[in-house]
Amino acid sequence: MTVGFDETVTMDTVRNHNMPDDAWCAIHGTVYDITKFSKVHPGGDIIMLAAGKEATILFETYHIKGVPDAVLRKYKVGKLPQGKKGETSHMPTGLDSASYYSWDSEFYRVLRERVAKKLAEPGLMQRARMELWAKAIFLLAGFWGSLYAMCVLDPHGGAMVAAVTLGVFAAFVGTCIQHDGSHGAFSKSRFMNKAAGWTLDMIGASAMTWEMQHVLGHHPYTNLIEMENGLAKVKGADVDPKKVDQESDPDVFSTYPMLRLHPWHRQRFYHKFQHLYAPFIFGFMTINKVISQDVGVVLRKRLFQIDANCRYGSPWYVARFWIMKLLTTLYTVALPMYMQGPAQGLKLFFMAHFTCGEVLATMFIVNHIIEGVSYASKDAVKGVMAPPRTVHGVTPMQVTQKALSAAESTKSDADKTTMIPLNDWAAVQCQTSVNWAVGSWFWNHFSGGLNHQIEHHCFPQNPHTVNVYISGIVKETCEEYGVPYQAEISLFSAYFKMLSHLRTLGNEDLTARST
């Protein structure tokens, strides 16, 4: 199909070009054909995640220095129609509201410029890459060494200890290698980023399914849920991804069963106890992904509202998925069962996965489900978009901007800081994410950069080893523009505040306050 540069292309048309060999996307209201460009894209084929989608957030956050207009013009095929209020509409037919987010302020542009300047300092990126590679070698050796020990040591002694260490190393392979690789941040090499991303398949899960949930769902739309269809999506109802709003976060809200993690979710009687049983539920996170979620996504070619044809529309990727599932089943399940006996082998396998899930959940969930964090909600059909609010109905940026206005009351209008829209994308990220142990080199390495969650969400294309160097810049820029920057002193403080927050979510009807 060929269209002119100035012709109108509907989002429904873009959604139909959603395959690896036929990929269109929309960025700031302009439609591009990225099929050929994906072969030479400097960041690798991560660009194919944009196939058939509105990709403004991906474009902005993965190109800290921008993209030359000459490059963009080569692949332009048309423009999206304008919405009711003059905004570019990228919703499916019948959904008239535009994006929840605004890109009109200078906040993120200024922040990107300052971070880019910091990263350009001589030796900084080289040091960060060396730290990343050294840690990767150590973690991979630890993973395979633990797997070997689990198979050969005393099944009721050393092998059980090895199963626990295997789970720990698997978790850190995920946070410190795969996470960066799948974000295109592990290396400048397309191949090495792909290889690093595939280490998730090595430990049993699917990197491609993770991309659907994390890169396409969680990162762009953190703590945002579409109210009309939100419950159906989280429950996995058979919703056509081409007929619903793509702006909804499936990551935090669909990973853990039996937990109420968003004020809009329906309250059940057992949620009042969720702060007590949540730590146990966390341990089943990875086993659920490996056995249930991965297989469901490759069969349905979608993850909740997210169309997964950009990956699983390729027979090669589907074949690779099943080959890796078979291989990991052989060396993580069949081999321990053969070496240690069927019952003990299965026990060791589940011990390793439970440990892995517990470690990952402990370091991840505290970043987005914790006292003081904000939740966003929208109703794409009614066009209602609520600003980010805490469970107590407070919009943090209204508080910080009010304080900034008071502090600048004596300045002339020309000298006052420009106020940031409440739905500014980067500002929303700062309100829906929480840091812990900020500036700590140790915790940054230990967690794979998860302790600098705000920095990671604003700049996912950076290796996590640089977050400790840019955190000061991000915090200062937030303070300058009246944008909240929440940080806990330690992981332990964050964890207990997360449990307290779960208790609040489980014991109160918070729907009215959060919408």
Side-chain angles (χ1 to χ4, degrees):
M1 177 179 179
T2 302
V3 296
F5 284 176
D6 295 322
E7 290 190 29
T8 297
V9 180
T10 67
M11 196 61 210
D12 283 344
T13 299
V14 175
R15 290 171 190 271
N16 288 328
H17 294 269
N18 61 345
M19 304 293 284
D21 59 352
D22 179 20
W24 290 16
C25 70
I27 301 170
H28 287 303
T30 301
V31 178
Y32 300 93
D33 183 345
I34 59 174
T35 311
K36 293 181 179 179
F37 183 58
S38 66
K39 309 299 181 184
V40 296
H41 180 237
D45 74 345
I46 188 175
I47 191 176
M48 294 308 296
L49 296 178
K53 299 176 180 67
E54 207 295 323
T56 297
I57 297 175
L58 296 177
F59 175 81
E60 291 288 347
T61 57
Y62 281 88
H63 301 94
I64 189 172
K65 296 180 180 179
V67 177
D69 289 339
V71 174
L72 294 174
R73 282 196 297 269
K74 288 182 181 179
Y75 304 99
K76 179 180 176 181
V77 295
K79 297 180 179 179
L80 292 180
Q82 296 296 305
K84 284 184 176 180
K85 300 178 182 179
E87 314 100 326
T88 300
S89 176
H90 62 255
M91 299 300 162
T93 300
L95 302 182
D96 293 322
S97 60
S99 173
Y100 178 88
Y101 301 102
S102 166
W103 294 92
D104 296 333
S105 81
E106 65 179 34
F107 171 63
Y108 190 50
R109 176 181 58 79
V110 171
L111 183 59
R112 289 199 308 183
E113 290 173 355
R114 292 175 179 178
V115 168
K117 182 178 180 181
K118 177 65 178 179
L119 296 180
E121 291 182 0
L124 192 151
M125 286 300 293
Q126 290 86 339
R127 175 182 174 180
R129 297 285 187 196
M130 288 179 62
E131 292 176 358
L132 189 59
W133 275 89
K135 183 164 60 170
I137 294 171
F138 169 74
L139 292 175
L140 290 173
F143 174 85
W144 289 106
S146 296
L147 179 61
Y148 174 79
M150 189 177 79
C151 292
V152 301
L153 295 181
D154 176 17
H156 300 287
M160 297 180 71
V161 174
V164 173
T165 62
L166 177 63
V168 172
F169 276 111
F172 289 132
V173 166
T175 59
C176 299
I177 304 176
Q178 176 271 326
H179 190 227
D180 281 38
S182 292
H183 275 299
F186 186 83
S187 170
K188 292 182 179 179
S189 164
R190 288 164 53 104
F191 172 78
M192 289 309 304
N193 278 325
K194 179 65 70 175
W198 283 5
T199 58
L200 188 63
D201 295 76
M202 180 194 77
I203 62 178
S206 169
M208 292 183 291
T209 298
W210 183 91
E211 288 174 327
M212 300 301 112
Q213 180 160 337
H214 193 78
V215 179
L216 291 180
H218 172 63
H219 259 263
Y221 315 118
T222 312
N223 281 17
L224 171 64
I225 194 166
E226 202 281 295
M227 297 186 294
E228 186 72 17
N229 298 303
L231 289 173
K233 293 173 191 173
V234 171
K235 289 181 179 178
D238 191 15
V239 180
D240 183 355
K242 294 184 180 181
K243 300 299 181 183
V244 296
D245 183 0
Q246 75 180 55
E247 292 191 345
S248 193
D249 179 358
D251 205 340
V252 174
F253 310 130
S254 64
T255 301
Y256 312 101
M258 297 180 64
L259 297 180
R260 187 188 190 211
L261 300 179
H262 193 287
W264 187 255
H265 284 175
R266 186 174 302 154
Q267 188 177 17
R268 305 289 188 181
F269 74 92
Y270 49 79
H271 287 147
K272 65 178 62 178
F273 307 109
Q274 66 177 5
H275 60 292
L276 300 177
Y277 63 74
F280 178 73
I281 295 292
F282 293 160
F284 292 95
M285 180 185 76
T286 58
I287 198 70
N288 175 58
K289 286 184 177 294
V290 169
I291 296 177
S292 176
Q293 187 184 80
D294 282 353
V295 174
V297 173
V298 76
L299 293 178
R300 294 191 299 267
K301 292 184 172 54
R302 66 176 182 84
L303 175 67
F304 304 109
Q305 81 279 12
I306 301 173
D307 181 3
N309 276 292
C310 58
R311 288 299 192 215
Y312 294 127
S314 163
W316 151 242
Y317 278 132
V318 173
R320 189 187 76 80
F321 172 90
W322 290 113
I323 290 171
M324 288 305 301
K325 283 295 182 186
L326 175 61
L327 287 176
T328 55
T329 300
L330 288 175
Y331 61 72
T332 62
V333 182
L335 184 60
M337 290 176 67
Y338 174 77
M339 298 293 293
Q340 304 287 22
Q344 189 64 15
L346 277 177
K347 180 179 179 180
L348 293 170
F349 168 77
F350 281 105
M351 283 182 63
H353 261 291
F354 188 86
T355 302
C356 181
E358 199 68 47
V359 172
L360 286 173
T362 296
M363 293 189 297
F364 172 71
I365 196 170
V366 298
N367 296 309
H368 302 292
I369 308 297
I370 188 173
E371 291 178 2
V373 78
S374 294
Y375 298 87
S377 59
K378 64 180 290 188
D379 188 324
V381 176
K382 297 178 181 178
V384 177
M385 301 187 190
R389 291 175 179 151
T390 68
V391 295
H392 302 296
V394 176
T395 297
M397 199 160 80
Q398 287 181 328
V399 177
T400 54
Q401 290 202 339
K402 183 177 180 180
L404 180 62
S405 296
E408 295 186 339
S409 59
T410 59
K411 293 183 178 180
S412 65
D413 290 342
D415 293 331
K416 289 181 179 179
T417 303
T418 303
M419 291 294 104
I420 308 301
L422 295 178
N423 65 333
D424 176 88
W425 179 83
V428 172
Q429 292 295 310
C430 294
Q431 295 173 85
T432 55
S433 302
V434 174
N435 286 355
W436 47 272
V438 175
S440 169
W441 183 89
F442 170 79
W443 282 110
N444 190 64
H445 272 287
F446 186 85
S447 68
L450 294 181
N451 65 318
H452 292 103
Q453 193 71 188
I454 294 174
E455 287 74 17
H456 171 58
H457 270 252
C458 289
F459 304 101
Q461 84 287 358
N462 287 338
H464 72 265
T465 44
V466 307
N467 289 340
V468 69
Y469 303 116
I470 66 173
S471 59
I473 294 173
V474 175
K475 182 179 180 180
E476 290 172 5
T477 306
C478 285
E479 292 174 349
E480 178 183 339
Y481 282 89
V483 175
Y485 184 93
Q486 184 176 343
E488 296 298 325
I489 191 171
S490 68
L491 173 60
F492 308 104
S493 170
Y495 190 80
F496 285 111
K497 286 190 176 182
M498 176 271 294
L499 292 178
S500 175
H501 188 64
L502 285 179
R503 183 175 184 176
T504 300
L505 284 169
N507 283 273
E508 297 183 36
D509 182 5
L510 303 163
T511 304
R513 300 183 194 174
S514 59
T515 58

